[in-house]
Each structure stands twice: as C-alpha cells, then as structure tokens.
C-alpha cells in the first residue's frame, strides 16, 4: 500500500515537470518580450515631459472657451447648410481632444487633481458648446434636419471602433511626439459636430436627434479617454494607484465598454436589417416588373408600424396585385409585416419612359413647392395672429387657412380685418380666415335715417367678424335705430340679438359680444 502511494506521488511529480517543460518556452518568450518592451520602448519615453505637454492644454481657460464657441459655431452652421467641408473645418480646431486625452492619462497615473481639472474643463466645454449651438439654431431661419445632422443621430458599433482606433492613435501621437496626428484623430472622431447636433435637438425640441447625438458624443468621449488610459499603462507611466485600485479601474473600464457596446451593437443590427429590407425590396420590385420596366424611386418608412415601402414604377404593362404580392414575399422573407405601395405608370420603353419619369420628377418638384408655400403661410399667419405655428389649420386640398388670433395689445377689430386683407393679397390663390378675438366692437352712428359713411365701414368690419367668430353678437339702442342696423345686417345674412337699452341715446347703436351662456331673442327685421 505504501509502495503504491509513493509510486503515485512520483508519477504526479513527473507529469508536473513535463507540463512545466511544455510551458517554459512560452513563459520565457513572454518575459523576453516584456523585457524588450521595457528596455527598448518604455525607456525612450520622457514621461515628465509628456505629462507636462498634455497638462498645458487641459485646463479651462479663456482661450479654451473661445475655441469651443468658434468650433461649435462653425460646426452648427456647416450642419445646417449640410456642408461637409465646413463641418471638417470645425473638427480641425479640436479644443476638446486635449482635455479628453488628459483625463485618460490622469486616470492611468492616479493624479486626482489633474483628473478633476480635466473633468471640469470637459464639463464646461460641453455645456458651452451645446448652449452656443442651440443659440445659433434658435435665431436661424433654417431649422430642418439635414443629411449631415441625420448622420449623427444613429451611432452604432462601428462608431465605437472608430473611437477606439482614434484614441489609440491620439495617445500614441502624444507619447511619441507626433502632435500633428491629433488633427487627424479629431477629424476621425468628430467630437464637436455631435455636440452641435445636441444643441440643434435642444433648440428645436427634437428629442430623437438630441438623444442620438448625445450618445455618439458620450461614446467618443469615453472611448478615447479609456484607450488613452490603456496606452499610458502600456508605456509604463508611473501610477499612484494601489494594485486594488488598478484592478477596480480595469473592471470599471470593462463595464463601460460593455455598456456602450450593447446599445451600439443593437443599433448596428437594426441598421443592417433596414439595409437588407431596402436592398431586397428594390431587387424584388425590379424583378417583378421585368427588364423593360424602370423603378424610379423607392422610399421606406421604418418608423411606421408596419414598415411601409413606397415605389414608383414605369412599366409598359400594368400588373394588378403587384402590391399584395410584394408585401407577401417581403413579409415572409423578413418575418414581419411589410406594406408595399406601388404607383404604376404605363409608358412605352425608351424615350417615352424617360419623358414619363421627367414628368414625375416635375410633379414631385411642384409638390415640394406647395409644401414650402404651406410652411411659409403657416409661419406668417402664426406671426400676425400671435399664436404658435401648430395653432394654424391648413387644408392644402381646398387651399384654405384658418387661425384664431389672440388679443394683441392696442389691436382693434380693424387691425385684424386689415391683417387678413393683406395676407389674402399676398396669397391670392388661398382662402385666408383670421378669426378675431372678442375685442371691443365699434359704435354705430345713425344720421338722417341711415348709417353714416364711417359707420358703414364699421358695419363691414363687424359683419366680417360675425362671419368668422363662433360667438354671437347683440345690439342695443332704440327700436328705430336697431331696425336700420338690422336691415343692413340682413343684406349680409346676419341676424343679431336685440336688447332695449334705456340709457342709449337715439342715433347710436352699440354692438357687443355675447358670452356663450347668454341667449336672447333674434330678429331678421
């Protein structure tokens, strides 16, 4: 029994030595590589000089805040104009890059005072950039979501990868002295344009744009800072952190990367799914109509439920049931409901098809012109009526516009009447209807058995207001005077409630608005 135990122990020892021998070349190679890295690479870095150089541009200074405003201003104007060249100009300033790099190196070295300084500079710089961009957008007549703005509202996993590589390149440039590379890194990561888009979303209350762009900015900021921390570790920068603090820092970095990667990965999957639907819809619709047909345009609304695919097809043969067939095929392929809407234009091939497509383009341009006209009309009516643009009701088919005006200081009934006349003259092909507020109505004067010329003009204003308002009116005065006014109103198909007023002198008729709960006897005399 004892001999067997001794033999077992000797066998275990021999196996352990054998395994140690197998791993010894790997261990030796790792130690040799680590020694070479420490002696040949880390020893060439002047750590105090690198840290001093980075610290010089990490604090919040007047120069830093000025560059933030200039960069934000250039970025938001380039985004509103949808000009990539102008947006790149904002990236070249790159005032935020140095505090972000400084935060990464401060984390690696454990310099809490430096980390606090860079954090404060980043926080103030971010707030200034957002508010300055929002201020520019607020006073800008252009407030539409351009392609340059839209491209920064859906970050994905590729953006995280760009930030990782850019952060590594930027940190390497700072450590090895290639400061010119920082400009390229700033262009690649584009820190300021996402912040400008955040300001755009804030100014226009577009929270989808606001949320998407702020996620992109946070992704770039955190990724560059953390990769800079990793580079500082690799180059052996002295750290004041204990081993336990370092382990916690590594754990926090992993958590942050995973926390960013999950939503960005989901976004990438969604973008890929949408691209697949777009490619499949385009291909199937083309195949369904054959080579002689031409697909002019395909638009896909992924925000609707279900997804809507709209297409215009020029074909020599109209295919009934093409929409239903396309919907079934695409829905079955992607396992979700997809609604297809196809506008078929019967044309001959060759030059006739080109003419038909040109006609469709012109029709689309006309539709866009109408939409622009409606937008300007809505804004103009909202301005003159003292209300918001959403309070203006527009019927494009009947070319009618209605708005209920607010009571404006110093405005009389004549004021609202004149405003409507001017708007009608400017938009002669539209029916403009400004409903006046219940402001004071003018007094009517009776002379020589009839209305004076001035009172006739006032009657026109009163009749105009009565036709547009949902509130009733009543008149008070002597019976004879009210008979004269009632006859004038009857010619306009208007009938007011009468009220006998003992204190009203002859020759004058007062018109007042009736409150909803008030009622009275109406007459058409």
């Amino acid at each position: 029994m004892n001999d067997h135990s001794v033999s077992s122990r000797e066998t275990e020892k021999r196996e352990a030595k054998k395994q140690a021998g197998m791993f010894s070349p790997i261990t030796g190679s790792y130690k040799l590589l680590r020694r070479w890295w420490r002696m040949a690479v880390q020893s060439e870095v002047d750590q105090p000089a690198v840290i001093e150089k980075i610290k010089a541009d990490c604090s919040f200074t007047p120069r830093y805040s000025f560059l933030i405003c200039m960069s934000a201003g250039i970025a938001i104007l380039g985004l509103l104009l949808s000009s990539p060249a102008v947006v790149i100009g904002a990236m070249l300033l790159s005032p935020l890059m140095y505090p972000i790099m400084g935060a990464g190196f401060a984390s690696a070295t454990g310099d809490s005072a430096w980390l606090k300084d860079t954090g404060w500079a980043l926080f103030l710089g971010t707030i200034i950039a957002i508010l300055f961009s929002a201020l520019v957008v607020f006073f800008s007549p252009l407030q539409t979501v351009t392609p340059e703005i839209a491209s920064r509202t859906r970050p994905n996993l590729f953006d995280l990868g760009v930030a990782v590589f850019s952060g590594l390149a930027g940190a390497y440039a700072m450590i090895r002295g290639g400061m010119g590379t920082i400009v390229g890194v700033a262009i690649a990561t584009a820190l300021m344009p996402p912040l400008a888009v955040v300001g755009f979303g804030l100014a226009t209350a577009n929270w989808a744009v606001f949320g998407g762009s702020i996620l992109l900015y946070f992704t770039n900021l955190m990724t560059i800072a953390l990769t800079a921390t990793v580079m500082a570790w690799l180059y052996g920068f002295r750290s004041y952190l204990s081993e336990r603090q370092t382990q916690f820092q590594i754990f926090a970095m992993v958590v942050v990367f995973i926390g960013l990667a999950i939503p960005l990965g989901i976004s990438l999957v969604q973008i890929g799914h949408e691209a697949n639907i777009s490619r499949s819809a385009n291909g199937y619709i083309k195949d369904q109509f054959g080579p002689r047909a031409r697909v002019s345009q395909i638009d896909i609304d992924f925000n609707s439920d279900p997804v809507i695919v709209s297409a215009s097809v020029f074909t020599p043969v109209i295919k009934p049931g093409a929409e239903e067939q396309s919907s079934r095929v695409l829905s079955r392929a992607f396992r979700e409901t997809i609604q297809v809407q196809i506008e078929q234009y019967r044309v001959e091939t060759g030059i006739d098809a080109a003419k038909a497509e040109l006609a469709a383009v012109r029709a689309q341009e006309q539709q866009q012109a109408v939409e622009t006209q409606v937008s300007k009309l809505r804004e103009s009516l909202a301005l003159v009526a003292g209300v918001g643009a959403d309070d203006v009701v527009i019927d494009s088919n009947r070319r009618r516009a209605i708005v209920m005006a607010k009571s404006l200081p110093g405005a009389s009934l004549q004021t609202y009447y004149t405003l409507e006349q001017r708007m009608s003259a400017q938009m002669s092909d539209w029916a403009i209807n400004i409903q006046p507020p219940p402001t004071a109505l003018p007094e009517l004067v009776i002379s020589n058995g009839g209305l004076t010329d001035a009172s006739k003009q006032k009657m026109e204003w009163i009749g105009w207001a009565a036709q547009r308002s949902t509130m009733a009116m009543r008149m008070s005065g002597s019976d004879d005077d009210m008979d004269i006014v009632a006859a004038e109103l009857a010619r306009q198909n208007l009938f007011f409630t009468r009220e006998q007023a003992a204190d009203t002198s002859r020759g004058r008729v007062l018109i007042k608005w009736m409150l909803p709960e008030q009622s009275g006897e109406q007459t058409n005399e």
Side-chain angles (χ1 to χ4, degrees):
M1 184 70 176
N2 292 336
D3 293 340
H4 178 72
S5 299
V6 171
S7 176
S8 299
R9 284 196 297 270
E10 290 177 354
T11 302
E12 292 175 358
K13 289 180 180 179
R14 284 196 299 268
E15 290 294 331
K17 289 180 179 180
K18 184 178 180 180
Q19 292 179 2
M22 292 173 60
F23 287 101
S24 58
I26 299 177
T27 305
S29 299
Y30 170 73
K31 290 182 178 179
L32 184 63
L33 179 62
R34 185 176 180 182
R35 181 181 179 185
W36 170 82
W37 180 265
R38 186 170 59 251
M39 300 296 294
V41 179
Q42 291 182 355
S43 61
E44 294 182 356
V45 178
D46 187 355
Q47 295 187 10
V50 172
I51 291 177
E52 186 66 27
K53 180 173 57 178
I54 298 174
K55 279 186 175 181
D57 293 313
C58 287
S59 301
F60 183 80
T61 61
R63 174 181 174 274
Y64 170 76
S65 58
F66 175 77
L67 288 177
I68 288 287
C69 290
M70 296 304 99
S71 181
I74 295 172
I76 191 60
L77 291 178
L79 292 167
L80 292 174
L81 294 172
S82 196
S83 172
V86 177
V87 176
I88 291 174
M91 303 176 195
L92 291 174
L93 296 179
S94 62
L96 290 169
M97 181 59 68
Y98 296 95
I100 294 176
M101 286 290 179
F105 279 84
S107 299
T109 59
D111 191 336
S112 59
W114 186 15
L115 183 61
K116 181 179 179 181
D117 191 29
T118 56
W120 183 244
L122 279 174
F123 174 75
L124 291 180
T126 300
I127 297 300
I128 290 173
I130 293 175
L131 294 181
F132 189 81
S133 301
L135 184 65
V136 173
V137 174
F138 182 79
F139 288 104
S140 170
L142 302 177
Q143 295 186 354
T144 56
V145 178
T146 63
E148 284 291 322
I149 293 176
S151 65
R152 291 169 173 85
T153 58
R154 295 190 68 184
N156 56 70
L157 203 57
F158 286 166
D159 293 301
L160 180 64
V162 170
V164 168
F165 293 130
S166 300
L168 292 174
Y172 177 82
M174 287 191 167
I175 294 173
R176 305 298 292 183
M179 297 301 290
T181 309
I182 295 297
V183 176
V185 172
I187 294 176
T189 51
L191 290 165
M192 188 55 69
L195 270 186
V197 176
V198 173
F200 175 88
L202 180 64
T204 59
N206 190 330
W207 305 119
V209 170
F210 180 90
S213 55
I214 205 168
L215 175 59
L216 176 59
Y217 172 70
F218 183 76
T219 298
N220 291 338
L221 186 151
M222 293 301 299
T223 304
I224 294 173
L226 294 180
T227 50
T229 301
V230 172
M231 288 294 287
W233 284 342
L234 289 176
Y235 275 89
F237 278 73
R238 175 185 289 182
S239 176
Y240 299 101
L241 299 175
S242 64
E243 183 178 355
R244 183 178 182 85
Q245 290 174 325
T246 302
Q247 292 175 352
F248 176 78
Q249 195 176 63
I250 294 174
F251 173 77
M253 290 174 61
V254 172
V255 170
V256 170
F257 270 113
I258 294 176
L260 289 173
I262 290 175
L264 295 176
I266 294 173
S267 176
L268 180 61
V269 170
Q270 179 63 25
I271 292 173
H273 178 66
E274 293 176 1
N276 289 333
I277 292 179
S278 179
R279 182 174 59 254
S280 299
N282 192 14
Y284 181 76
I285 293 174
K286 286 182 178 179
D287 295 340
Q288 186 178 14
F289 285 90
R292 298 180 62 194
R294 296 183 60 186
V295 179
S296 174
Q297 183 178 359
I298 291 183
D299 296 321
I300 303 179
D301 185 2
F302 292 102
N303 295 323
S304 64
D305 188 16
V307 174
I308 298 177
V309 178
S310 302
S312 299
V313 180
F314 299 96
T315 175
V317 179
I318 298 296
K319 284 184 172 289
E323 294 181 344
E324 293 76 9
Q325 178 66 17
S326 299
S327 297
R328 284 196 298 270
V329 171
L330 293 175
S331 299
R332 185 166 57 249
F334 293 98
R335 298 181 180 179
E336 64 174 296
T337 304
I338 298 177
Q339 181 180 348
V340 180
Q341 300 174 351
I342 302 177
E343 292 187 10
Q344 301 183 48
Y345 300 92
R346 187 182 180 190
V347 295
E348 297 298 329
T349 57
I351 189 170
D352 291 336
K355 290 181 178 179
E357 185 171 357
L358 180 60
V361 171
R362 289 176 177 173
Q364 185 177 7
E365 291 177 350
Q366 292 176 355
Q367 179 63 26
Q368 292 176 350
V370 171
E371 292 176 356
T372 302
Q373 185 184 44
V374 168
S375 177
K376 291 182 179 180
L377 177 60
R378 186 184 301 275
E379 293 176 0
S380 300
L381 283 177
L383 180 63
V384 301
V387 298
D390 294 338
D391 296 324
V392 180
V393 180
I394 293 182
D395 185 349
S396 300
N397 295 327
R398 298 182 179 180
R399 304 185 75 80
R400 296 179 57 190
I402 303 173
V403 63
M404 183 175 293
K406 283 187 176 180
S407 181
L408 302 176
S412 63
L413 188 64
Q414 180 186 0
T415 304
Y416 299 103
Y417 176 83
T418 304
L419 288 174
E420 183 183 287
Q421 295 299 310
R422 290 178 180 176
M423 289 297 302
S424 298
Q426 294 175 7
M427 309 292 290
S428 56
D429 55 340
W430 283 77
I432 308 298
N433 189 318
I434 298 180
Q435 297 180 4
T439 186
L441 299 175
E443 183 182 67
L444 302 177
V445 177
I446 310 297
S447 177
N448 298 325
L451 291 167
T452 63
D453 292 340
S455 294
K456 289 180 180 179
Q457 179 62 57
K458 295 176 182 179
M459 275 295 301
E460 183 179 352
W461 302 338
I462 294 173
W464 167 83
Q467 290 172 349
R468 282 154 178 74
S469 178
T470 57
M471 296 178 62
M473 296 182 183
R474 65 184 177 186
M475 57 182 173
S476 61
S478 66
D479 288 334
D480 293 339
D481 293 339
M482 287 193 291
D483 287 342
I484 296 173
V485 173
E488 183 67 28
L489 289 172
R491 283 194 286 269
Q492 303 182 38
N493 292 323
L494 296 173
F495 308 98
F496 288 3
T497 300
R498 292 188 177 208
E499 180 183 49
Q500 185 69 37
D503 56 344
T504 302
S505 59
R506 291 184 59 83
R508 296 183 182 277
V509 175
L510 299 179
I511 308 292
K512 295 182 180 180
W513 296 97
M514 291 180 61
L515 297 177
E517 63 271 11
Q518 291 178 330
S519 61
E521 179 184 0
Q522 292 189 334
T523 179
N524 58 358
E525 298 179 3

